[in-house]
Amino acid sequence: MFVDSHCHLDFPDLANNLDEIFENMQQNQVTHALCVSVNLEDFPRVRTLAESHNNLYASVGVHPDYENLTEPSAAQLVKLAEPSRVVAIGETGLDYFRLKGDLEWQRERFRQHIRAAKQCNKPLIIHTREAAVDTLRIMAEEGADHVGGVMHCFTESLEVAQQAIEMNFSISFSGIVTFKNAHIVKEVARTIPLDKILIETDSPYLAPVPFRGKTNQPAFVRHVAEEIAKLREISLEEVATATTHNFFRLFKVA
Ligand SMILES: [Zn+2]
Ligand SMILES: [Zn+2]
C-alpha cells in the first residue's frame, strides 16, 4: 500500500471529482492521503475532508505564496490544530521564486508556524523554493528539530537534504523525481536513508511521468514510488512498506 503524504483535495480541480479520485486511489493501493492546508480561509474544507473520510488527514497552515490573506499567530494555529485529525502544521516555509522584494513577512510567518508546532507537538510540513539557506537557518534558530517534520516536494541539493535530516526532518519526493532532467532530485532519492523518505503528489500540481502536464491526483503517487524503487534498485514493495511506515511514524497516526 501507498500513502500520499501531501495533496490538496480541497482545490476545485480535485474537490469536484472526489468519487473518481477515491476509486482511483483504491485501484492503485493508495490507502491514505494527507490534505494540506494553504490558508486559514480554506482550512475548514480541509478539516472537513479529514473528518468525513477515515483514510484522510489534515494539516493547518498558511502557504508562503499567499501575501494578503489572514496572517496566523502561533496561538491561532495551535488552536486550529487541536482536532486529532489535524496531524501537522503547514504547509509553511519560504518561497523566493514566486514572490520577490522584501519577504520579511514570509520569514516571520514561518517562525510563527514553527513556534505553533512546538507548542502543540505536531510535525511541520515545510515548503522551500530558492530559499534553502534562510529556511535551514530559521529552522535552526527556532529549534524546529524539537518536532521535526518533512521537507515537502524536495528539489534542493543532497547537502540541503542532509542538513534537514540532521534536524530531524524527512524528505518527501513528488512527481518531479520522475522527470527526465531532474538529475539532482534523483541523486537525493538514490542516496538518503530509506527511513527518511516520504512520497507525495502535491496534487493537483506536478503530475508524474507518464501523466506530466495533466491534473495530478493521489493515485499517481504510485509512480513516484516506482521511480524511487528504480533509482535505488530495490523492489516497489520495499519502497511502499518503508514510505508508508515512515508516514505513520512521523504523523503519529494509525
Ligand atoms: Zn508546497
Ligand atoms: Zn502543497
Side-chain angles (χ1 to χ4, degrees), residues 6 63 91 127 152 202:
H6 189 119
H63 194 288
E91 60 185 291
H127 169 112
H152 108 90
D202 205 7

Side-chain angles (χ1 to χ4, degrees), residues 146-243:
H146 289 285
V147 284
V150 58
M151 307 300 287
H152 108 90
C153 193
F154 194 79
T155 53
E156 300 294 332
S157 67
L158 183 57
E159 288 93 322
V160 171
Q162 281 160 342
Q163 286 177 56
I165 289 168
E166 274 169 35
M167 278 194 269
N168 195 20
F169 276 73
S170 296
I171 305 296
S172 180
F173 297 99
S174 67
I176 290 176
V177 76
T178 68
F179 297 174
K180 210 172 164 182
N181 56 353
H183 302 294
I184 294 170
V185 180
K186 287 181 197 288
E187 188 205 353
V188 178
R190 198 184 289 122
T191 312
I192 64 170
L194 189 56
D195 69 353
K196 294 294 176 191
I197 295 182
L198 297 184
I199 53 174
E200 67 172 81
T201 58
D202 205 7
S203 49
Y205 311 119
L206 293 170
V209 173
F211 305 105
R212 193 170 177 179
K214 301 220 170 78
T215 301
N216 201 359
Q217 56 178 291
F220 295 170
V221 81
R222 193 191 178 93
H223 297 275
V224 176
E226 279 170 2
E227 179 68 25
I228 294 172
K230 204 171 86 186
L231 290 166
R232 298 181 74 99
E233 299 178 356
I234 58 178
S235 69
L236 181 60
E237 290 69 30
E238 206 175 328
V239 174
T241 306
T243 54

Side-chain angles (χ1 to χ4, degrees), residues 5 28 38 40 42 44-45 53 56 65 70 118 123 128 132-133 140 172 175 189 193 208 225 227 242 252:
S5 73
N28 287 279
V38 294
L40 298 189
D42 294 328
R45 293 194 302 166
H53 301 89
L56 300 181
D65 286 352
T70 310
K118 287 167 68 182
T128 184
V133 172
S172 180
E227 179 68 25
K252 298 174 224 145

